[in-house]
Amino acid sequence: MLEWIGFAVFIIFALAGVLLSLVGFSGPLLIFLGAVLFNLITWSQAIHFWLLAVLALLAIFGEIVDVFIFFKTKLSAEGWKGLLSGFAIGKSFGLAGVFLGILVGAFFGEWVSNDVRYAWSKVKSLLARKFVSIIIKTLVALLQIWLIISNL
């Protein structure tokens, strides 16, 4: 009975992790936490310690790649200020607000010191980098799920 409850909790965390990865947030970390909860609920080592370590390293790898890709975006000082302002305003509107706030803030920040085409090119670059980051984090999340299910 506890195995089924633990597995259901893991599946919920895994689905939420994949969905969060698809929108650009920390899904692999959630999948790792789901695996830890599975072990705690079942009072077993069904997911071995070494596999948990690999899952944690994969989650950290996904976050490092996301941060590296994000900070390699070449924005001016005004663009970064606009991006942070857009984040601050957008977070009161949920996930979509954060994402749109960052893009709109970066656009207006770049537009202050440059023309519209230059600002739009910077926002397109930011979108492309975020898309690559989303793909990598989603692949990491799916790899984590595969590793866990193949070892149960």
Side-chain angles (χ1 to χ4, degrees), residues 120-134:
W120 178 240
S121 71
K122 290 299 181 179
V123 170
K124 286 192 300 188
S125 170
L126 185 63
L127 271 173
R129 289 175 185 273
K130 191 60 182 171
F131 184 69
V132 169
S133 173
I134 287 171

Side-chain angles (χ1 to χ4, degrees), residues 75-76 78-83 85-86 100-116 119-120 122-123:
L75 293 176
S76 66
E78 290 84 7
W80 282 108
K81 288 176 189 174
L83 184 141
S85 300
L100 289 174
I102 287 172
L103 294 176
V104 171
F107 175 76
F108 283 117
E110 287 294 329
W111 191 17
V112 167
S113 59
N114 299 298
D115 65 344
V116 173
W120 178 240
K122 290 299 181 179
V123 170

Side-chain angles (χ1 to χ4, degrees), residues 9-116:
V9 167
F10 169 71
I11 293 297
I12 291 168
F13 272 71
L15 289 174
V18 170
L19 290 175
L20 281 176
S21 293
L22 287 172
V23 295
F25 290 97
S26 185
L29 181 61
L30 198 60
I31 293 170
F32 167 72
L33 292 175
V36 170
L37 282 175
F38 177 82
N39 269 359
L40 291 174
I41 290 171
T42 60
W43 288 80
S44 68
Q45 284 294 321
I47 301 174
H48 196 268
F49 173 76
W50 294 108
L51 181 58
L52 288 175
V54 169
L55 295 174
L57 289 174
L58 284 171
I60 291 168
F61 170 76
E63 293 307 311
I64 289 173
V65 166
D66 189 31
V67 168
F68 179 75
I69 288 174
F70 183 72
F71 283 112
K72 290 300 277 183
T73 303
K74 306 251 188 270
L75 293 176
S76 66
E78 290 84 7
W80 282 108
K81 288 176 189 174
L83 184 141
L84 292 174
S85 300
F87 172 78
I89 293 169
K91 72 180 182 177
S92 60
F93 296 103
L95 296 177
V98 169
F99 189 69
L100 289 174
I102 287 172
L103 294 176
V104 171
F107 175 76
F108 283 117
E110 287 294 329
W111 191 17
V112 167
S113 59
N114 299 298
D115 65 344
V116 173

